[in-house]
Amino acid sequence: MKNTGKTGSKAPKVISRAGHNVSRDEISKAALKVLYRLHKAGYQAFLVGGGVRDAILDLHPKDFDIATDATPEEVRSLFSNCRLIGRRFRLAHVRFGREIIEVATFRAAANHKDDDSAHDTEGRIIRDNVYGTIDEDVWRRDFTCNALYYNIADFSIWDYTDGFADVKKKRLVLIGDPSQRLREDPVRMLRAVRFAGKLGFTIDKSVVEAMRGHTSLLTNVPAARLFDEFLKLFQSGFAEVTFDLLREHKLFGELFPATDEELSKDEKYLAFAHAALKNSDKRVAEGKSVTPMFLLGVFLWVPIKKLAEIRRAEEKMSESQSLSLAAYEIVSQQQRRISIPKRFTVPMREMLSLQPRFEHRRGKRAMNLLEHRRFRAAYDFMLLQSEVGQADPEIAKFWTDVQTQSPEERAMSFQMQSKPGQKRRPRRRRRRKPPQES
Ligand code: ATP
Ligand code: MG
């Protein structure tokens, strides 16, 4: 076991400014302001985490975390634009326009063996709120590459864990005993995969081996936290490679059990998921917005479609109604793993239940689909399906074309002109009210 460092007595290797490439130009003005003001007030002030790691990699970091020996209250007294957040451990958020700089007071590691109440029965950390010194703070961080401290006093980097060499070697190594660190916080498995995907790092063999025995511990992680992780995994522009890594390390099934089962037996569904992820990454690269509801819709699509068929066989209802009903049921199941806010599940259900309507290309009701508030998302979804041979390309072309037509052309496309003298038969419709989400 290396580097468990409970007492934090090990001295850091100090890499002087001449020995590294982290330039102040790579640190935001706001972060520099906070660092300098803390330093001038006599406190220690370090940039830490992803900001240092990404700067070493020339990746132009955007997110800056600061660590200091000032208490949150002391930080607040230095900045008027500062708010203290968090109950379990208090953090200071210093705001500059839209940018927020997070300032954390050094904390001691939670692996004090004499303090049982800090862990649950599986070893998960439930309490981690004791202030400490920098050489205690370092050991509670996850990976060596995330445990580098850039010192504003002399622009050196403090390295306790050989993190600098690991960044250069592009290796993700957990600090301390991998198995214990994953038990303390199983989300670290998702973080390993996320950093591997984003940075192109290799997950160290010791971590891969430890992950093998611990994937199921993710079930103990609060569903709300997993939703936050889900966003980071799939909205940062590396969704496709991250998805492959999650599957490779048997983590995807812990997040989306029903989806994982379908993906393993359905090549076309897998191709569809890949197309959607690729498309999402492309949008992020182009600076376009991405909504989590679209990918959630893709991930839940086949489980929902299958259940909808069952529900339709049980009771007479339209395809759209059965999809909406099945979406409600599958989403409820999924919520036990990842709590998806209603603002995403409601539009997702709408997007999916609109799918059968693309097959109807005649008359006013068909044409009205263009005005539906979920048309755009539903159309994009259908288009992706057609790209992987899961929807009729002719139908896709029809809906692509009608969007740019003049009102007259459109009326023609939907064959709207009723023949004189032709009587319309009154239509009877059965309505079934879909369940309301709570
Ligand atoms: P990015 O901002 O690119 O997602 P990051 O490494 O900065 O990456 P954050 O979630 O912002 O990640 O966390 C900041 C730092 O806090 C990390 O670099 C790490 O040192 C520490 N940290 C965050 N989450 C954990 C965790 N679950 N276990 C241990 N340390 C963590
Ligand atoms: Mg960060």
Side-chain angles (χ1 to χ4, degrees):
M1 204 157 85
K2 73 169 186 184
N3 292 348
T4 35
K6 284 192 305 268
T7 53
S9 53
K10 193 182 158 194
K13 192 193 288 170
V14 177
I15 306 162
S16 72
R17 177 62 188 90
H20 67 74
N21 64 320
V22 178
S23 144
R24 269 165 293 162
D25 295 342
E26 289 299 313
I27 305 170
S28 77
K29 293 242 168 2
L32 283 173
K33 240 186 201 162
V34 177
L35 286 165
Y36 280 129
R37 194 173 299 174
L38 285 165
H39 176 61
K40 282 205 185 104
Y43 299 108
Q44 288 185 308
F46 295 86
L47 184 68
V48 66
V52 184
R53 180 197 67 215
D54 292 356
I56 296 171
L57 293 164
D58 292 322
L59 286 178
H60 312 302
K62 275 165 216 77
D63 176 45
F64 299 95
D65 300 299
I66 289 173
T68 179
D69 59 354
T71 64
E73 287 72 21
E74 287 168 336
V75 176
R76 187 171 50 186
S77 70
L78 286 178
F79 300 94
S80 56
N81 46 337
C82 176
R83 244 167 31 99
L84 300 190
I85 60 144
R87 263 175 295 143
R88 199 172 62 141
F89 37 78
R90 282 157 84 68
L91 295 169
H93 273 183
V94 189
R95 182 184 280 278
F96 296 85
R98 290 179 60 191
E99 191 176 352
I100 291 176
I101 306 296
E102 190 168 288
V103 185
T105 306
F106 297 137
R107 269 178 274 149
N111 56 353
H112 299 285
K113 289 253 163 51
D114 50 345
D115 184 3
D116 289 341
S117 64
H119 297 87
D120 69 5
T121 48
E122 255 116 15
R124 192 160 62 96
I125 291 185
I126 46 181
R127 204 151 52 70
D128 177 18
N129 56 359
V130 190
Y131 295 137
T133 59
I134 182 168
D135 40 45
E136 291 172 313
D137 188 83
V138 60
W139 309 110
R140 57 166 200 91
R141 299 194 175 264
D142 49 4
F143 299 97
T144 58
C145 63
N146 286 345
L148 292 165
Y149 296 75
Y150 172 89
N151 187 2
I152 199 65
D154 60 2
F155 318 124
S156 64
I157 291 176
W158 290 21
D159 182 4
Y160 291 82
T161 64
D162 270 338
F164 193 75
D166 287 336
V167 174
K168 294 284 181 199
K169 286 189 229 154
K170 294 184 170 272
R171 289 199 317 158
L172 281 159
V173 183
L174 272 167
I175 298 172
D177 175 53
S179 180
Q180 182 195 338
R181 299 308 308 281
L182 296 185
R183 280 198 308 273
E184 277 175 9
D185 182 4
V187 168
R188 288 172 186 153
M189 294 185 271
L190 301 178
R191 289 174 59 87
V193 162
R194 176 156 70 84
F195 295 131
K198 169 181 151 173
L199 306 167
F201 277 31
T202 329
I203 307 175
D204 192 64
K205 210 168 119 240
S206 62
V207 181
V208 173
E209 273 163 19
M211 291 206 309
R212 235 172 255 149
H214 291 100
T215 52
S216 65
L217 290 180
L218 279 170
T219 359
N220 303 333
V221 176
R225 183 159 177 224
L226 288 184
F227 181 71
D228 293 343
E229 269 321 298
F230 165 81
L231 294 182
K232 291 187 196 161
L233 287 163
F234 290 106
Q235 303 235 94
S236 312
F238 303 89
E240 194 184 11
V241 54
T242 304
F243 169 77
D244 289 338
L245 286 166
L246 284 173
R247 285 187 15 106
E248 181 187 328
H249 295 287
K250 308 274 180 279
L251 293 163
F252 189 76
E254 297 297 330
L255 302 179
F256 291 93
T259 312
D260 198 50
E261 205 187 313
E262 296 301 335
L263 286 171
S264 64
K265 53 191 186 203
D266 184 347
E267 291 271 313
K268 286 185 176 158
Y269 186 27
L270 190 58
F272 176 45
H274 269 125
L277 292 157
K278 206 186 279 298
N279 185 52
S280 176
D281 288 343
K282 190 164 158 264
R283 287 186 66 94
V284 175
E286 290 165 354
K288 293 186 190 160
S289 67
V290 286
T291 155
M293 79 95 172
F294 193 85
L295 274 186
L296 286 167
V298 171
F299 285 162
L300 299 179
W301 173 236
V302 170
I304 288 172
K305 211 168 58 164
K306 284 198 162 172
L307 183 63
E309 279 157 25
I310 296 171
R311 292 290 172 264
R312 251 192 123 194
E314 289 166 355
E315 198 184 336
K316 203 166 169 345
M317 60 178 115
S318 77
E319 242 182 301
S320 285
Q321 285 165 337
S322 69
L323 281 168
S324 180
L325 183 68
Y328 177 79
E329 288 184 46
I330 297 286
V331 165
S332 309
Q333 281 174 26
Q334 180 59 43
Q335 300 279 28
R336 281 182 230 142
R337 292 292 165 115
I338 301 183
S339 71
I340 311 159
K342 231 170 107 177
R343 66 178 187 280
F344 300 123
T345 60
V346 172
M348 186 203 83
R349 269 174 83 193
E350 286 178 345
M351 173 181 83
L352 298 184
S353 52
L354 286 181
Q355 293 307 308
R357 284 187 53 184
F358 287 110
E359 282 164 36
H360 306 291
R361 288 177 278 169
R362 272 176 168 208
K364 190 151 173 37
R365 183 171 148 78
M367 193 168 84
N368 282 348
L369 183 56
L370 289 166
E371 311 304 324
H372 195 289
R373 61 187 175 146
R374 241 27 104 189
F375 172 79
R376 189 76 228 170
Y379 163 79
D380 286 343
F381 190 94
M382 182 269 295
L383 205 61
L384 268 181
Q385 290 249 68
S386 84
E387 276 172 26
V388 292
Q390 295 283 288
D392 185 345
E394 208 187 298
I395 292 183
K397 184 173 181 318
F398 174 88
W399 288 99
T400 305
D401 293 346
V402 290
Q403 288 178 62
T404 52
Q405 288 172 351
S406 69
E408 293 76 25
E409 289 170 328
R410 222 180 244 181
M412 293 267 283
S413 296
F414 286 97
Q415 304 181 21
M416 294 266 294
Q417 59 281 53
S418 51
K419 291 184 190 123
Q422 192 178 9
K423 263 204 184 145
R424 290 191 70 199
R425 251 195 291 138
R427 277 203 302 163
R428 275 224 249 127
R429 254 203 245 154
R430 261 171 63 102
R431 273 201 191 277
R432 184 190 157 117
K433 203 164 169 261
Q436 296 300 304
E437 279 174 48
S438 55

